[in-house]
Amino acid sequence: MTAGDYDLIVVGGGIMGASAALRASHGGMRVKLLEALEIGSGASGVNAGTLSLQIKRVKLMPYALAGHALWERAGDAVGYRRTGGLTLAFTDQEAELLEHRMTLKKEAGAPIDFVGKNFIREKAPALTDAVVAASWCESDGYANSSLTGVYYRALLREAGVDYSEFSPVTGIDPSRDGGFSVQTGSARIAGKRLLLASGFGLQETMAMLGVDIPVRVRINTVSVTERGPKLLDCIVGHATGLLTMKQKTNGTVLIGGGWQGVRDAETGRGEVRADTLNPNLQLAQYAAPGLSSFRLVRTWTGFEANVSDFYPLAGRLPGYDNAFVLGCVRGGYTIGPYIGQLMGDLILGRVPEKPLFDPERLIDTTYATSGERLGT
Amino acid sequence: METEFDVIVIGAGPAGAAAAVEAAARGLKVLVVDENAAGGGQVYRASAIGKEEKGPGKDLRRALAESGATVVFNRRCWLIEPGFRVHCTAPDRNELYHAPALIVAAGARERVVPVPGWTLPGVIGLAAATALIKAQKVLPGRRVVVAGRGPLLPYVAYMIVKNGGEVAALIDRNGPQDWLSKSLDVAARPGLALEGAGWIAALIRARVPSYFRSAVSRVRGDGEAEGVDIVGLDKNGNVRTQTKSIGCDAVCMGDGLAPSVEITQLLKADHVFDAVQGGWRVTADPWGRTSTANLYACGDGTGIKGAAAAPFAGRIAAIAAASDLGRLSKKDAEKAIASLSRQHDRASRFGAAMTALTAPDVRGLSLIGEDTVVCRCEGVTRRDIVSAVQRGAQSVNAIKSATRCGMGPCGARMCGDVTAALLSAEMNKPLAEIAPMTPRPPLKPVNLEPMMAEFSYSDIPMPEPAPL
Ligand SMILES: Cc1cc2nc3c(=O)[nH]c(=O)nc-3n(C[C@H](O)[C@H](O)[C@H](O)COP(=O)(O)OP(=O)(O)OC[C@H]3O[C@@H](n4cnc5c(N)ncnc54)[C@H](O)[C@@H]3O)c2cc1C
Ligand SMILES: Cc1cc2nc3c(=O)[nH]c(=O)nc-3n(C[C@H](O)[C@H](O)[C@H](O)COP(=O)(O)OP(=O)(O)OC[C@H]3O[C@@H](n4cnc5c(N)ncnc54)[C@H](O)[C@@H]3O)c2cc1C
């Protein structure tokens, strides 16, 4: 087999895969993107769309700030709104947690302030007065994740990235010249480089190249109400991170917070569970009692991948020079467009402006990979 | 209130009521849930006013009341978890019921192919008109245009005439030949055929102008329906002639019924696209068993076969459940089901033939204007949908994400079929290959207040917060 037609094959069309593909293409590479279902049909298209620095991990703050700026630039195309965000504590214990966490996040660069009752009453009169402590971040906001698919499809087309939907990758073989041959349906596609960005499917695609890194999946629940009267102007969160809430400009209220549904073993589909949906909605209603007059229209689940230390997989695939992996980014909707660019830079042979998160750290040194390790 | 049952039946129409009566007679502890205020379903909908009239509806309600089954009305079932845990909202609270077997008898929903002006006040669905007339004893208007396809067309016109209204025109997308092609199946149910003949006779007596192989191409009006334009259609459903305009103050239009499959879809049963049965329907074996264990389906959800067949299907499902639960010997069940199956098949011939007159197709699409709203909840037009496809959407899910089509409170019940047909036409792909939108709970919108009931903050079971 000769060096492939493509400079880069990207497996997975979520934010991670799409934004890295764009960067590589803008850098002059010929890029093929293969998506099992549809662009932005995974976590990237069903997430709560919260762009909140207050729920970002301290170490990821610089990436979140940069990602946030990119969504702001995308503007109306992704339904971006900068609203500011309140995070609430309802007990002394939660207040302590809030203070501890927000102080560290503030030190990491997020413009967060602690605020009192008057401030809350002014910013969000519909919130309960049972608030014990609260923080505010001026730059928080949201975007509309259901537009991820349309948004990236248009950019990929414009950049000349050759993308195929409904094209699951079922096998990957390293070729002798250091490239890869990728199986999708009955087609084999050859490329010089490979980026695995398959979200919750990462463990499986990495295993196709003999790399074993356990990827766990959280099954997050999100709900939306019917259009209702004005309730909230800013996004609202909870000290524990177990609530995110925003009222869109059309009057619907979106409620998330990472409450866990289940994954049906047979179909692989996510399912909503009443024993986690109910407390999620209760928490929302406790924060904004006026919500009780709204109707729930839809609830769904999405798969959020993570590894044991909850930091991204972002770097070379251990054991390979020309294969890369990007995923498992906590708060990945916010961070995605930026970390995808960094990844694209790495693939282009540039030095990314911020460090990535080398997956090598997760390789169990006692574990011997089966098969040949190429390129090392 | 008891919450544990042997079997739960969703829907108290002819299928569900018969299932409940049969299951109770077989000694099962039965719960029936329906969001209406009384049993009868769509066809035998109880009147909200006046004394109960004699007839099958009254019989059904009496049989249900005397069956020993527990019946709860005004309950909207919004989530069913495997196993089965049935969550319903009552007007003031949430209720949770549990049973190892579930019989779904949730009926059908109406399909309406939009034309310019169809969102004007004064325009309602044909099936919706039957509900209005039966339950409220209210006519949709004084001078009404009745348009669309299928058996509800002459029926609605007849109901209007019988109740003192005027039918300005009866406009049928089918031609007399299409009706005649079903005459053998119609003859299989002489009673129903005679009933139908009675409607037609009444319409002729009232000199109702009829237009065959014609359609409403536009509803006119300034703020409300004031008239319609009628066009003649050729064999392929394309506009042949501009016929004429007539005045009216209401329009009833509908293109047939589609099986309600939200519940069986959520419970991951297999479904097939079956145009002559109304579209996507759940597959069930001759015992009414779906591909999901202990989940049974009967009535319109398995294909629109009509009210005559529904009770047989309901009884079959109940007997199958009793047998599968070990409460009836397999041999007795087989015997009972064999005889019921024969009756069911005979009874469904008529209804199935009528449904075939309304098979979903892409023909009606030529009447949808570029700027015609397809998704009423979100105001999405045909142009928006076509443009989303041109920009790369290859599924109804992708159209939904791009345009909000189907994201509103009706959950795509109104626009899903038309969106699929537009996609099918745009991609030149058969309708059967267009997967429906991914179903999501709640089955229908629910008020948060009753859903949540009373709780105190300390009762909320909070998991560990995410890592810092
Ligand atoms: C419900 C939910 C709510 C969230 N809320 C927020 C939030 O409010 N704010 C925030 O910042 N972050 C949020 N997140 C996190 C964020 O959505 C994710 O981190 C991010 O979208 C992940 O992007 P991704 O590209 O890695 O994965 P995905 O978007 O899942 O993309 C991976 C893609 O790979 C495809 N794929 C898988 N296997 C294969 C294969 N073998 N071949 C080809 N393709 C394959 C999949 O079909 C999928 O499209 C949330 C996540 C979820 C699930
Ligand atoms: C609007 C409408 C009007 C119709 N009018 C006529 C007519 O006039 N004449 C005629 O011959 N045929 C009519 N039909 C067709 C006729 O309804 C069927 O052929 C026949 O009644 C099927 O019986 P069924 O038991 O399967 O369903 P149905 O009679 O439709 O009964 C289904 C029942 O399930 C209940 N239900 C559904 N979902 C839920 C839920 N989530 N929670 C709680 N309850 C639920 C509904 O309230 C309903 O009572 C109509 C159909 C529709 C949709």
Side-chain angles (χ1 to χ4, degrees):
Chain A
M1 187 174 289
T2 58
D5 292 338
Y6 291 99
D7 297 315
L8 171 67
I9 299 175
V10 177
V11 181
I15 292 178
M16 302 301 164
S19 57
L22 283 171
R23 186 67 154 199
S25 173
H26 291 146
M29 286 190 167
R30 274 203 67 207
V31 183
K32 174 85 192 178
L33 185 150
L34 297 167
E35 163 54 49
L37 297 167
E38 296 176 271
I39 307 280
S41 65
S44 302
V46 301
N47 68 72
T50 313
L51 302 172
S52 168
L53 299 173
Q54 297 180 83
I55 50 176
K56 292 298 161 305
R57 302 200 68 185
V58 172
K59 254 175 94 173
L60 297 181
M61 199 58 76
Y63 304 82
L65 284 158
H68 193 126
L70 289 174
W71 283 128
E72 183 158 16
R73 213 176 302 158
D76 283 344
V78 293
Y80 174 85
R81 292 285 179 283
R82 183 192 185 103
T83 60
L86 277 168
T87 302
L88 312 175
F90 298 124
T91 66
D92 292 341
Q93 217 183 342
E94 288 168 7
E96 228 172 87
L97 183 74
L98 183 83
E99 166 144 13
H100 172 62
R101 294 192 153 197
M102 295 305 162
T103 304
L104 290 172
K105 292 180 192 202
K106 191 174 172 167
E107 283 165 16
I112 297 172
D113 294 311
F114 293 97
V115 294
K117 289 208 166 177
N118 286 341
F119 184 91
I120 298 172
R121 222 165 283 141
E122 191 197 315
K123 284 285 178 197
L127 291 183
T128 170
D129 48 19
V131 177
V132 173
S135 58
W136 167 258
C137 178
E138 188 65 47
S139 66
D140 281 357
Y142 65 84
N144 181 356
S145 75
S146 33
L147 294 174
T148 300
V150 237
Y151 177 67
Y152 277 109
R153 261 187 220 110
L155 292 180
L156 291 169
R157 283 183 173 198
E158 198 182 288
V161 173
D162 180 9
Y163 72 79
S164 302
E165 301 181 84
F166 298 106
S167 303
V169 168
T170 50
I172 306 173
D173 293 310
S175 49
R176 246 175 256 126
D177 57 9
F180 300 90
S181 161
V182 172
Q183 182 85 40
T184 177
S186 57
R188 271 207 166 262
I189 298 168
K192 294 195 184 83
R193 300 171 194 78
L194 180 72
L195 170 64
L196 304 179
S198 49
F200 66 90
L202 269 178
Q203 181 163 350
E204 201 184 325
T205 49
M206 289 191 294
M208 293 176 191
L209 286 168
V211 175
D212 177 45
I213 296 175
V215 172
R216 297 172 305 188
V217 178
R218 284 173 55 81
I219 300 133
N220 297 345
T221 306
V222 183
S223 302
V224 68
T225 69
E226 200 174 337
R227 291 158 200 255
K230 169 76 144 295
L231 193 70
L232 298 168
D233 282 315
C234 64
I235 67 168
V236 173
H238 186 255
T240 58
L242 290 163
L243 173 68
T244 67
M245 175 159 61
K246 59 193 76 77
Q247 186 169 33
K248 299 291 189 76
T249 46
N250 66 4
T252 62
V253 179
L254 203 72
I255 301 162
W259 292 77
Q260 296 295 289
V262 297
R263 189 172 180 195
D264 180 58
E266 216 172 294
T267 57
R269 245 163 58 181
E271 290 179 16
V272 172
R273 282 291 167 269
D275 59 3
T276 49
L277 172 63
N278 277 332
N280 188 187
L281 298 175
Q282 284 174 341
L283 191 53
Q285 198 186 319
Y286 187 78
L291 199 61
S292 66
S293 67
F294 283 60
R295 291 205 302 173
L296 177 71
V297 166
R298 204 169 311 105
T299 296
W300 62 92
T301 54
F303 298 146
E304 186 185 29
N306 58 61
V307 289
S308 54
D309 62 5
F310 287 93
Y311 284 112
L313 282 183
R316 282 205 159 71
L317 186 68
Y320 293 88
D321 274 348
N322 298 326
F324 303 83
V325 54
L326 177 60
C328 299
V329 185
R330 223 187 144 76
Y333 182 67
T334 315
I335 296 171
Y338 180 66
I339 202 166
Q341 289 187 353
L342 298 182
M343 193 64 193
D345 286 340
L346 181 70
I347 294 170
L348 287 164
R350 303 171 182 163
V351 180
E353 67 176 18
K354 283 195 184 60
L356 285 164
F357 297 79
D358 195 340
E360 186 74 47
R361 70 183 190 280
L362 295 159
I363 293 287
D364 181 350
T365 44
T366 61
Y367 170 79
T369 47
S370 54
E372 207 181 346
R373 287 206 160 193
L374 289 146
T376 40
Chain B
M1 166 98 202
E2 196 56 63
T3 57
E4 300 287 318
F5 295 87
D6 294 326
V7 60
I8 297 174
V9 181
I10 311 288
V21 171
E22 183 72 41
R26 302 274 173 184
L28 300 188
K29 200 172 153 198
V30 185
L31 174 77
V32 190
V33 182
D34 199 298
E35 64 178 324
N36 284 328
Q42 299 295 359
V43 60
Y44 306 136
R45 182 178 288 273
S47 166
I49 27 192
K51 236 186 77 204
E52 171 114 280
E53 283 165 30
K54 263 202 192 144
K58 186 174 182 182
D59 297 344
L60 177 153
R61 287 180 277 278
R62 168 156 339 121
L64 195 56
E66 291 171 354
S67 67
T70 304
V71 190
V72 288
F73 290 117
N74 299 311
R75 297 301 190 282
R76 174 164 280 195
C77 166
W78 61 273
L79 177 67
I80 302 179
E81 296 173 292
F84 295 92
R85 291 160 58 81
V86 177
H87 298 260
C88 325
T89 48
D92 59 342
R93 65 183 177 280
N94 190 63
E95 291 171 355
L96 171 59
Y97 300 103
H98 177 259
L102 185 75
I103 298 178
V104 181
R109 65 189 161 76
E110 178 161 38
R111 282 186 284 115
V112 178
V113 178
V115 297
W118 78 299
T119 53
L120 283 170
V123 182
I124 64 168
L126 273 181
T130 69
L132 183 73
I133 300 170
K134 285 180 215 168
Q136 315 294 338
K137 303 238 193 276
V138 168
L139 292 181
R142 303 234 301 264
R143 194 175 140 78
V144 188
V145 164
V146 181
R149 291 192 289 173
L152 288 181
L153 206 53
Y155 176 63
V156 168
Y158 162 75
M159 292 284 275
I160 291 169
V161 169
K162 182 183 149 196
N163 288 287
E166 181 192 353
V167 175
L170 189 143
I171 304 162
D172 191 342
R173 264 179 62 195
N174 288 305
Q177 302 90 315
D178 300 307
W179 287 94
L180 282 174
S181 71
K182 307 295 177 203
S183 54
L184 275 179
D185 303 304
V186 170
R189 302 287 303 178
L192 290 175
L194 277 179
E195 198 181 348
W199 305 339
I200 309 281
L203 297 178
I204 292 171
R205 267 199 309 280
R207 293 191 209 292
V208 169
S210 298
Y211 300 81
F212 283 109
R213 211 162 255 167
S214 299
V216 168
S217 62
R218 167 183 300 275
V219 180
R220 297 192 172 280
D222 184 13
E224 58 185 346
E226 290 164 11
V228 300
D229 291 353
I230 308 170
V231 291
L233 304 173
D234 68 17
K235 257 193 274 173
N236 299 317
N238 293 319
V239 176
R240 187 169 46 81
T241 54
Q242 187 73 33
T243 313
K244 59 180 199 171
S245 299
I246 54 170
C248 64
D249 63 0
V251 181
C252 303
M253 52 189 269
D255 278 82
L257 303 174
S260 280
V261 289
E262 294 84 3
I263 296 175
T264 44
Q265 276 181 319
L266 267 186
L267 293 169
K268 297 163 303 212
D270 292 339
H271 292 73
V272 291
F273 184 83
D274 187 348
V276 293
Q277 295 278 300
W280 287 95
R281 64 169 176 83
V282 65
T283 56
D285 74 4
W287 287 36
R289 298 184 185 111
T290 70
S291 64
T292 298
N294 301 316
L295 177 67
Y296 307 81
C298 53
D300 278 359
T302 64
I304 313 292
K305 301 189 190 84
F312 298 115
R315 293 176 61 192
I316 290 170
I319 292 167
S323 169
D324 294 345
L325 288 170
R327 307 285 287 273
L328 179 68
S329 78
K330 193 156 175 252
K331 222 171 122 213
D332 288 346
E334 270 166 4
K335 211 171 126 210
I337 288 179
S339 137
L340 287 168
S341 289
R342 277 192 300 277
Q343 300 177 73
H344 173 262
D345 293 349
R346 215 174 307 133
S348 34
R349 224 176 126 189
F350 177 82
M354 291 297 108
T355 304
L357 284 172
T358 63
D361 58 16
V362 295
R363 283 190 292 173
L365 299 183
S366 59
L367 296 171
I368 310 174
E370 288 271 295
D371 297 317
T372 305
V373 165
V374 171
C375 166
R376 300 180 77 143
C377 301
E378 298 293 332
V380 181
T381 64
R382 175 184 190 145
R383 178 180 288 119
D384 297 332
I385 291 169
V386 169
S387 146
V389 178
Q390 283 160 356
R391 286 178 292 140
Q394 297 179 42
S395 69
V396 286
N397 285 332
I399 293 173
K400 172 179 172 183
S401 298
T403 64
R404 298 193 58 83
C405 179
M407 273 194 198
C410 94
R413 258 179 285 271
M414 291 290 283
C415 61
D417 299 303
V418 177
T419 307
L422 287 170
L423 179 64
S424 138
E426 207 60 32
M427 293 188 54
N428 218 346
K429 228 167 131 175
L431 258 180
E433 285 173 26
I434 309 284
M437 270 178 212
T438 306
R440 312 274 197 193
L443 293 159
K444 289 179 185 171
V446 277
N447 292 319
L448 282 174
E449 183 148 40
M451 210 182 124
M452 219 132 302
E454 293 278 300
F455 67 92
S456 73
Y457 187 70
S458 55
D459 291 341
I460 302 177
M462 302 265 213
E464 275 295 292
L468 184 62

